[in-house]
Amino acid sequence: YVWNAAYKAGIGPLMISLIIALLLFAAGGMLYRIRPMEAAGKSMAFHWPAFVIQVVLTVVFSLFLGIFFGTILGGLSKAWFVFGLIFGLLTGYVMIQMIYIPDFKKISEGKWRLLISGLIVLITALVSVFDLTGYDDYLPKQEKIEDIAMVHGWNNNENVIDKITKIRMHLPCDDNTYGYLKDLTGWSQSFEENDSTPHHTCQIRLHLKNRKEVYRQYDIADRRIRTSLAKLFDYPEYRENLYTLSSQSPEEVIRFEWRKGDASGEIYSDQEQDKTKALARALQDDIRQMNSATVTGEIPVAQIDCTIRPVEDSGEDYDNEIYESILVYPSFIHTLEILDAEGKEIRILPKAEEISKIEVYSLARQDETAPAKPEQVLENEKEISEVLTKAIPADLITVWTDVDMEKSIEITKKDGSMISCRYLQK
């Protein structure tokens, strides 16, 4: 399935909605005029729709409270979800039954409505939350898949949903890629139980040998993803289609921006076209050289945001502009040479001699309500230097650098400023 984020409602759907609203308003006015008096003890203009209305309202109220209680603590607690369903079912039935017949002695007269409502709620919960049909885990058999395309939300977050329908990626369906797909289903399920952790969206397009296409979407928060995902970088098809920039002409890049702590800069194509093209080509070359060792063994040193406007777009129409963030690793030699030539120092973290102390905190705290206390306070320059080699600024934490990072550190510089980081334990 694919939700097309680029859909735009025109005047036609708007007029249809307006006409329907007017018709419903007229019908409501007519029913109000012929409705029996409240004093007669009747709450419905007609008796026959009472059954349908009560069932529908009870089901909706039950599902609403199920979702409310299930997600109130963050993530989706199935125990609280079931509690909300039962509580909503009984509460909704009693309230509507009291409107129909305001007498507690006759509360059981609509027990068949309660039974049918409960059955509908049960089937809905089993299918949508407990995956009775196995849809959430569904994957075609490996031998039926011709090739695979995938886009991760941390690359092109605003365009990821629309991009999967256009991407030209054709990964082979071998044991490595198919195994990654099977892992995604399990990771997605674990994320649904606790989505309070940082998560990432992965869109999958499966091109089957019978010429059909299957689309899947997963939200992932499992810490094991970095090692498995890194293997994809050994496929040229994945590297070349990882970023939109890789498949675009340098002339289509209209802006570069980088933010790296104290260092930052911008290049606009309408002001410095040659520099924009040069940086685009450098990034393209460096991205093509990436592999699994890059993302598992190197620490990102910078982040570059680029804005791309395809050549077919012109004028003031910015709807199809593409924004994406690209991590820069130490092995991005061509990119770093250009930024250094611009006089922009690629140094996010301060030097050890500029730091007065480093406080180390545990991310896996038992009591989140208690004030955080550092596990260690480092003031020795040698210890500080060692930590800096494995520290990543919090704003550069990505899907693969979130693994094995059970420590948070606060760096206090001698000038009093502070920087929050995560500590990569390797």
Side-chain angles (χ1 to χ4, degrees):
Y1 60 93
V2 170
W3 173 66
N4 187 355
Y7 172 77
K8 301 177 183 178
I11 190 64
L14 182 62
M15 293 302 299
I16 293 175
S17 300
L18 180 59
I19 293 172
I20 293 176
L22 292 175
L23 291 175
L24 290 175
F25 180 78
M30 180 190 70
L31 292 175
Y32 180 80
R33 292 176 61 88
I34 64 176
R35 187 172 182 270
M37 297 293 294
E38 290 287 352
K42 297 180 180 180
S43 57
M44 297 289 294
F46 307 102
H47 295 287
W48 60 267
F51 171 82
V52 176
I53 292 176
Q54 184 171 15
V55 169
V56 171
L57 292 179
T58 302
V59 168
V60 171
F61 190 68
S62 174
L63 293 175
F64 170 76
L65 286 188
I67 296 173
F68 175 79
F69 281 101
T71 59
I72 194 171
L73 298 177
L76 178 61
S77 170
K78 293 182 179 178
W80 279 105
F81 176 74
V82 172
F83 168 79
L85 290 180
I86 297 174
F87 180 73
L89 182 68
L90 296 177
T91 305
Y93 165 76
V94 170
M95 287 192 303
I96 299 172
Q97 187 67 14
M98 288 300 296
I99 293 175
Y100 285 170
I101 307 175
D103 186 351
F104 274 108
K105 296 180 180 179
K106 298 181 179 180
I107 200 71
S108 62
E109 287 190 4
K111 56 186 177 183
W112 285 106
R113 301 173 186 174
L114 176 62
L115 181 61
I116 294 174
S117 300
L119 184 62
I120 295 174
V121 169
L122 176 63
I123 294 174
T124 304
L126 288 176
V127 172
S128 62
V129 175
F130 295 94
D131 196 24
L132 178 65
T133 61
Y135 175 80
D136 292 342
D137 295 329
Y138 166 72
L139 277 176
K141 293 182 179 180
Q142 183 176 353
E143 58 270 18
K144 294 183 178 181
I145 302 176
E146 182 72 28
D147 56 60
I148 303 169
M150 59 183 71
V151 179
H152 292 84
W154 37 262
N155 290 330
N156 200 2
N157 49 18
E158 293 188 10
N159 304 81
V160 60
I161 297 175
D162 188 45
K163 183 179 178 182
I164 191 61
T165 63
K166 303 174 181 178
I167 194 170
R168 295 188 291 268
M169 186 185 299
H170 300 283
L171 295 176
C173 185
D174 54 22
D175 292 340
N176 188 25
T177 54
Y178 191 74
Y180 177 70
L181 293 181
K182 291 195 294 184
D183 288 342
L184 282 177
T185 61
W187 294 336
S188 183
Q189 290 294 327
S190 65
F191 163 73
E192 289 178 0
E193 296 174 1
N194 182 22
D195 66 357
S196 59
T197 57
H199 66 278
H200 312 273
T201 298
C202 180
Q203 288 272 341
I204 304 292
R205 185 192 69 212
L206 305 176
H207 181 209
L208 306 184
K209 293 180 179 179
N210 61 6
R211 297 186 179 181
K212 293 183 180 180
E213 290 185 342
V214 175
Y215 291 88
R216 305 289 286 161
Q217 175 176 309
Y218 301 99
D219 290 312
I220 317 154
D222 196 285
R223 299 167 70 86
R224 296 169 298 173
I225 188 176
R226 180 174 70 140
T227 303
S228 296
L229 178 62
K231 298 176 183 178
L232 298 177
F233 284 84
D234 292 328
Y235 294 90
E237 278 278 345
Y238 186 77
R239 294 197 304 271
E240 293 172 5
N241 291 279
L242 173 64
Y243 295 108
T244 301
L245 175 66
S246 300
S247 59
Q248 301 297 126
S249 169
E251 287 78 8
E252 296 177 305
V253 179
I254 61 175
R255 184 175 70 98
F256 281 115
E257 177 184 2
W258 53 90
R259 301 183 304 274
K260 312 173 290 300
D262 295 336
S264 64
E266 292 181 319
I267 299 178
Y268 289 86
S269 61
D270 58 351
Q271 300 173 0
E272 301 174 291
Q273 189 174 29
D274 292 340
K275 292 180 181 179
T276 306
K277 291 180 181 180
L279 183 55
R281 293 191 184 98
L283 279 170
Q284 290 173 341
D285 291 339
D286 288 330
I287 290 170
R288 293 190 186 102
Q289 300 302 317
M290 292 177 70
N291 53 38
S292 56
T294 305
V295 296
T296 57
E298 297 186 19
I299 304 298
V301 295
Q303 177 174 306
I304 295 180
D305 297 334
C306 64
T307 304
I308 301 170
R309 185 184 301 166
V311 291
E312 61 267 16
D313 295 338
S314 59
E316 299 299 324
D317 184 9
Y318 304 127
D319 291 338
N320 292 324
E321 284 186 356
I322 299 171
Y323 309 89
E324 61 184 4
S325 298
I326 301 175
L327 291 179
V328 177
Y329 292 87
S331 59
F332 280 34
I333 300 175
H334 304 90
T335 302
L336 294 178
E337 283 181 353
I338 292 179
L339 294 184
D340 288 340
E342 287 292 302
K344 304 297 182 180
E345 185 179 2
I346 308 303
R347 181 172 59 84
I348 308 174
L349 299 178
K351 298 178 181 179
E353 56 267 26
E354 299 175 347
I355 298 174
S356 61
K357 67 177 179 179
I358 289 182
E359 297 174 306
V360 182
Y361 297 85
S362 172
L363 293 179
R365 294 168 53 199
Q366 298 296 324
D367 186 3
E368 295 291 341
T369 60
K373 295 182 179 180
E375 293 183 345
Q376 289 180 288
V377 178
L378 307 177
E379 298 180 345
N380 181 277
E381 187 171 317
K382 182 178 180 181
E383 293 177 333
I384 290 176
S385 298
E386 183 179 350
V387 170
L388 289 178
T389 63
K390 302 177 182 180
I392 301 180
D395 59 357
L396 286 186
I397 300 301
T398 65
V399 66
W400 49 67
T401 56
D402 195 30
V403 176
D404 301 329
M405 304 186 74
E406 299 176 354
K407 304 294 181 183
S408 171
I409 63 175
E410 294 290 338
I411 299 175
T412 303
K413 298 173 63 176
K414 292 181 179 179
D415 61 6
S417 60
M418 299 182 67
I419 303 174
S420 297
C421 299
R422 297 289 176 89
Y423 181 60
L424 183 63
Q425 303 199 11
K426 296 177 62 176

